[in-house]
Each structure stands twice: as C-alpha cells, then as structure tokens.
Amino acid sequence: MSDKVMPSVPPARRAEPLQRFLFGGVYGSVLASALAAALGGEHGPLDPGYDAAWVLVACIASAAAHGYAHAIAHRTADAASVTTSAVRSMLTEWPLVVAALPTVAALFGSYLRWWGEEGAIDVALTMNTVALFGWGLWSARAAGRSWPASCRVGCVDALIGLFIIGANVLTK
C-alpha cells in the first residue's frame, strides 16, 4: 500500500454524476412523452420517420440549451474559457437524450412498418411512464430512502407520465 494520501472528494461532488443522470432521465422521459403525445393528431399523412427524427432533434436541442443555461448561470472567474465550460456543460446533458431513445426507437419501428404510429405513441407513453417510476425509485433509493418510501416516490414520478397520457387522451 502506498503512503500517498489521495485527496478526498466531497460526498456532494461524488453524487453529482448520479444526480445529473437521474435528472436527465426524468427530464428526457417527460420531454419525449410530451413530444410523442403531440404527434398523431396532425392533418395529412403520418410520417413516423420524420416524427422520430424531430423527437430526437428536439431532445438534443433541449439538452444543449439546458447545459448552456447552466454554463451561463454558473459562469465563474475560473481559468476555463466560457466556450470550453459551455461545451463541457452541454455534453453532461447526455442522459436527457438517452432517456428519449426508447421513444425514438418506437417511432422508428413504426417507420419500418413494424406497427402503426398511434401504437408506437402508446408504447412510448407507456414505456416512459414505467421509466419515470424507475427513475423515482432509483433516486429515492440512492438518497437512502426505504423501499416503501422509494416506491411512493416512483409512483409520484409515474403520475407525470399518467398526466401526459390523460392529456393525450383528452386532446384527441
């Protein structure tokens, strides 16, 4: 064993990547659900390939905007240039985009004619609601909550997905 003492990373700083991952997962799931719910009611022929591409583009743009807003809001007098810190901050938002990929995949499956676009939207909304439950459960467990308390948090998160599903049903 070495006599070298490693600097300790504060617990709050160590948890930051997990917090960003969980935040991006919830945000991306909600965003993808809202975007998917807005599809299918347009007039004219359905174009699930176009819709899948736009869900992905919108999520990438949202991730970039969120990262850029953080970089601007937390601008400090450090040695890193604003451009470098902004790009680094935008790249840390990758979980938001990853959380939207199941929705993009469901729509792309519709583009490949594996199923209809309305079915793909229903599948995406269901997957995202289940994912929201999982994100809530995971975040509560990571915070040291008991299983029953974590399940309650997961259920509250899933309510967001159910709200989007309900709004989708009511508006169509």
Side-chain angles (χ1 to χ4, degrees):
M1 200 140 155
S2 169
D3 291 347
K4 209 163 124 177
V5 176
M6 297 300 288
S8 172
V9 177
R13 196 75 171 132
R14 227 177 307 143
E16 192 173 295
L18 178 60
Q19 290 168 346
R20 284 186 184 174
F21 181 72
L22 293 170
F23 173 84
V26 170
Y27 193 96
S29 296
V30 170
L31 179 61
S33 290
L35 291 168
L39 300 173
E42 65 266 73
H43 303 289
L46 297 176
D47 189 353
Y50 177 84
D51 293 344
W54 272 106
V55 168
L56 183 60
V57 167
C59 288
I60 291 170
S62 294
H66 190 261
Y68 183 72
H70 269 287
I72 297 303
H74 300 295
R75 191 178 286 179
T76 61
D78 62 1
S81 73
V82 173
T83 303
T84 303
S85 67
V87 168
R88 190 177 307 126
S89 183
M90 286 187 274
L91 291 175
T92 63
E93 298 297 327
W94 65 267
L96 187 158
V97 177
V98 170
L101 292 180
T103 300
V104 172
L107 290 167
F108 190 69
S110 178
Y111 172 74
L112 296 175
R113 294 199 166 92
W114 292 346
W115 46 71
E117 185 172 20
E118 287 298 327
I121 292 168
D122 293 343
V123 166
L125 293 175
T126 302
M127 285 189 311
N128 289 335
T129 300
V130 171
L132 285 167
F133 174 83
W135 293 121
L137 179 78
W138 188 2
S139 65
R141 290 297 296 159
R145 301 271 174 100
S146 68
W147 279 105
S150 298
C151 286
R152 285 191 298 274
V153 171
C155 287
V156 169
D157 280 12
L159 284 174
I160 298 168
L162 293 174
F163 171 77
I164 293 169
I165 290 170
N168 186 42
V169 168
L170 292 173
T171 59
K172 293 185 178 171

